């Protein structure tokens, strides 16, 4: 089954404790992206990657890191989480081969709470 | 600066009625306008998309109307059903330039269809 898989789905952590949210897609997509969803603010792009070893900042990259060492994986790293990073996070992928992003396929989301 | 402005924030419609959600943008370089639908606990999924070379696109009960001169586009849901109750996001992107690969979302509209 074609899908984007995120882990963990739920996480409660404390300020400053490094964490990684993994994202993997099995559709051989070139493009991957991370979004955070907050009430009243919609979906805001954190980072995106148009290909392996190529990453770019979105609207809200502060406090986050990403890497794209393999085509299928795009982990989101919070080196020192803070309470304002409490949010619902979505990973998405797209076949994107130049031009618009095209249809994004989203994971089921990872709900992160930072105490 | 919000690239795509969406209204209303919430919408309540009776079963069988028409649901209308509006979006506006400023950047005339945008050339791809998708709508995503999100059910509780799930990631967003592409519903329908339009490019500015057409003024309307219809897929079943869902129609996008596009007004290039006004820089506005809207989603119309005909014969709204309780199963349409979800959050809807409009979005926009462009296929060239320094922000290639960015997809900008509106803040979302929570639609409730009463039986």
């Amino acid at each position: 089954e074609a899908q984007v898989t995120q882990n963990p789905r739920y996480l409660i952590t404390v300020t400053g404790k490094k964490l990684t949210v993994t994202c993997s897609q099995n559709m051989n997509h070139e493009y991957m992206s991370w979004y955070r969803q907050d009430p009243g603010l919609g979906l805001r792009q954190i980072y995106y990657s148009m290909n392996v070893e190529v990453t770019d900042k979105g609207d809200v990259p502060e406090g986050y890191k990403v890497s794209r060492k393999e085509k299928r994986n795009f982990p989101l790293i919070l080196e020192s989480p803070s309470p304002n990073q409490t949010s619902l996070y979505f990973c998405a992928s797209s076949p994107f081969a130049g031009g618009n992003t095209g249809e994004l396929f989203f994971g089921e989301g990872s709900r992160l709470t930072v105490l | 600066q919000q690239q795509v402005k969406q209204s209303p924030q919430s919408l309540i419609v009776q079963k069988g009625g028409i649901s209308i959600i509006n979006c506006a943008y400023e950047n005339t370089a945008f050339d791809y306008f998708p709508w995503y639908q999100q059910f509780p606990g799930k990631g967003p999924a592409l519903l329908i998309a339009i490019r500015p070379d057409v003024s309307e696109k219809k897929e079943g009960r869902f129609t996008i109307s596009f007004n290039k001169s006004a820089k506005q586009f809207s989603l119309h849901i005909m014969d709204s059903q309780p199963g349409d109750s979800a959050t809807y996001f409009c979005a926009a992107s462009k296929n060239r330039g320094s922000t290639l690969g960015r997809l900008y979302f509106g803040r979302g509209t929570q639609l409730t269809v009463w039986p």
Side-chain angles (χ1 to χ4, degrees):
Chain A
E1 180 188 356
Q3 59 186 1
V4 178
T5 303
Q6 298 179 224
N7 280 297
R9 294 287 315 280
Y10 302 91
L11 180 63
I12 300 175
T13 189
V14 295
T15 299
K17 186 176 181 181
K18 180 180 178 180
L19 68 92
T20 299
V21 185
T22 64
C23 175
S24 180
Q25 50 94 3
N26 63 1
M27 296 169 279
N28 200 36
H29 285 169
E30 299 286 339
Y31 178 95
M32 297 185 75
S33 183
W34 277 102
Y35 288 86
R36 61 177 289 173
Q37 183 175 7
D38 301 289
L41 296 179
L43 292 157
R44 293 181 293 168
Q45 196 168 30
I46 303 171
Y47 272 96
Y48 63 101
S49 168
M50 291 196 283
N51 212 330
V52 175
E53 301 293 355
V54 178
T55 63
D56 281 293
K57 296 178 180 179
D59 289 317
V60 288
E62 296 79 18
Y64 304 95
K65 287 176 60 177
V66 293
S67 67
R68 187 90 182 275
K69 297 178 182 176
E70 305 169 280
K71 195 173 188 178
R72 63 182 293 130
N73 296 322
F74 191 44
L76 179 69
I77 304 160
L78 287 72
E79 293 271 2
S80 182
S82 62
N84 65 12
Q85 293 179 296
T86 293
S87 186
L88 178 59
Y89 291 87
F90 286 100
C91 180
S93 72
S94 159
F96 178 82
N100 299 105
T101 57
E103 178 178 2
L104 289 184
F105 294 82
F106 283 83
E108 299 249 293
S110 296
R111 185 167 292 281
L112 171 65
T113 301
V114 183
L115 301 177
Chain B
Q1 181 186 359
Q2 196 178 358
Q3 298 280 343
V4 180
K5 296 182 179 180
Q6 183 173 346
S7 63
Q9 188 172 354
S10 63
L11 181 62
I12 300 174
V13 173
Q14 200 163 13
K15 179 181 175 182
I18 302 173
S19 303
I20 301 175
I21 304 170
N22 300 301
C23 287
Y25 63 97
E26 286 298 322
N27 192 336
T28 55
F30 287 148
D31 58 2
Y32 175 68
F33 302 89
W35 285 88
Y36 282 80
Q37 180 187 54
Q38 183 184 31
F39 293 106
K42 299 293 185 182
L46 181 67
L47 183 63
I48 187 173
I50 197 169
R51 296 189 184 274
D53 52 345
V54 296
S55 61
E56 185 175 283
K57 183 174 181 179
K58 184 176 182 179
E59 291 185 1
R61 298 184 292 109
F62 300 90
T63 300
I64 299 178
S65 297
F66 186 80
N67 186 328
K68 190 173 181 179
S69 61
K71 293 184 286 186
Q72 295 175 347
F73 58 110
S74 59
L75 176 69
H76 296 239
I77 306 174
M78 311 300 289
D79 187 26
S80 299
Q81 299 296 313
D84 298 330
S85 296
T87 300
Y88 293 81
F89 294 97
C90 61
S93 73
K94 54 182 179 176
N95 69 358
R96 61 179 63 86
S98 61
T99 56
L100 179 69
R102 296 292 309 276
L103 182 62
Y104 302 93
F105 282 90
R107 294 189 174 183
T109 296
Q110 188 166 346
L111 171 65
T112 303
V113 181
W114 289 99

